[in-house]
Amino acid sequence: MAAEHDGPVTVSVVIPVKDDSAELTVCLAALAAQTRTAEEIIVVDNASTDDSAAAARAAGATVVSCLQPGIPAASATGYDAATGDLILRLDADCVPGPRWIQDVITAFEEQPEVAALTGPAVFIDGPVLLRRPLVRAYLFAYMNFSIPALGHRPLFGSNLAMRREAWEQVRLEVHRDDPEIHDDLDLSFHLGEHHRLGQMGGEPMGISMRPFNDAKAFLRRIKRGFRSVTVHWPQEFPPFRWRRASLRRRGQSTEPAGERP
């Protein structure tokens, strides 16, 4: 999967944003303080009504407009615009540790067979005593919901990275026009069908506890999770997907007659 390069690997960071100017400013400051900075930072302005775009430009980021509503459309727009060998993705309210980019590059060097990587996270706001147990519960629930549906580990949108050539292979397959799905889970379905997804270590990504602050918003996230899975049915119904994965591991055809509708 690893591409051959004549020079050092290049990195693009993609940040979808909608009305998160203050959080985005903190995120961009953390990216500027990386031990290994990115060649480009692409902020995708998803029709913000605040000064998110201006804050991004002031920090030296490239701003790309996406008027189509939804994180799936905004993320895909950013990936399409990225020119780096590696595309890293995080949210506007994330705060990466100073070695995040370097840790991603190292992880890809150590795992040349993988097309995409995902990493750990930690809450950086909310009640201090609840941060660790809640983030564990949050990620545990996400993993245990996603793995049976996918047959492999999912990507986590607040801390993921992929090779650009892998994105180019699936960019026309992802459900970028559906605002009611989780873009990271959808990307996991499409990348995981053809490629290996891996895990990266390093310092956990700082994420916001905002998903737990609004009961209606949290329920909406759960509803979107179920839609993110069922929108891929019947062709990605778990037994079909698991069988194709088993065939791939054995080097056999992944398109048995009559399996895919």
Side-chain angles (χ1 to χ4, degrees):
M1 183 66 221
E4 295 183 0
H5 301 287
D6 295 330
V9 66
T10 56
V11 173
S12 299
V13 176
V14 171
I15 311 171
V17 64
K18 183 178 177 65
D19 298 334
D20 257 344
S21 175
E23 292 81 1
L24 177 64
T25 298
V26 175
C27 177
L28 291 172
L31 289 172
Q34 294 286 298
T35 58
R36 197 289 195 188
T37 55
E39 275 68 30
E40 64 178 359
I41 297 175
I42 299 173
V43 173
V44 185
D45 179 21
N46 198 200
S48 296
T49 58
D50 69 357
D51 63 344
S52 291
R57 292 190 182 96
T62 298
V63 177
V64 177
S65 177
C66 176
L67 298 180
Q68 184 173 341
I71 297 176
S75 296
T77 297
Y79 302 153
D80 285 343
T83 61
D85 302 314
L86 303 178
I87 303 175
L88 284 58
R89 191 260 203 233
L90 74 169
D91 294 312
D93 58 2
C94 289
V95 181
R99 287 189 53 83
W100 180 55
I101 293 176
Q102 183 58 62
D103 286 341
V104 170
I105 294 172
T106 300
F108 273 114
E109 290 174 346
E110 294 175 347
Q111 302 175 73
E113 74 283 1
V114 304
L117 295 165
T118 197
V122 62
F123 285 133
I124 54 175
D125 55 16
V128 174
L129 293 179
L130 293 180
R131 292 178 186 178
R132 189 178 298 274
L134 276 182
V135 79
R136 286 178 175 174
Y138 180 42
L139 295 178
F140 179 83
Y142 177 58
M143 291 293 174
N144 283 273
F145 169 78
S146 304
I147 290 174
L150 293 167
H152 55 78
R153 177 184 295 274
L155 299 171
F156 179 52
S158 295
N159 189 4
L160 73 81
M162 60 184 162
R163 302 185 193 275
R164 183 160 54 89
E165 64 265 28
W167 165 249
E168 290 172 348
Q169 291 174 17
V170 302
R171 59 178 299 273
L172 299 181
E173 300 175 9
V174 297
H175 293 72
R176 65 172 72 204
D177 297 328
D178 189 342
E180 295 302 318
I181 65 169
H182 291 303
D183 65 300
D184 49 0
L185 187 51
D186 180 56
L187 185 62
S188 301
F189 268 101
H190 296 285
L191 282 180
E193 177 68 15
H194 307 289
H195 304 288
R196 288 190 60 181
L197 310 184
Q199 177 75 7
M200 57 186 171
E203 186 177 353
M205 175 67 68
I207 64 174
S208 173
M209 201 183 287
R210 287 193 291 182
F212 291 90
N213 293 340
D214 183 332
K216 289 184 179 180
F218 187 66
L219 290 174
R220 186 164 62 248
R221 292 176 69 89
I222 294 175
K223 181 180 179 181
R224 287 176 175 174
F226 281 101
R227 177 168 175 77
S228 301
V229 171
T230 58
V231 75
H232 295 91
W233 291 358
Q235 62 266 30
E236 299 298 341
F237 194 62
F240 299 160
R241 188 175 176 89
W242 300 340
R243 185 168 186 269
R244 291 198 303 274
S246 177
L247 290 171
R248 282 198 305 274
R249 286 193 293 268
R250 297 200 300 265
Q252 300 178 25
S253 171
T254 59
E255 298 287 346
E259 179 179 299
R260 292 179 75 105

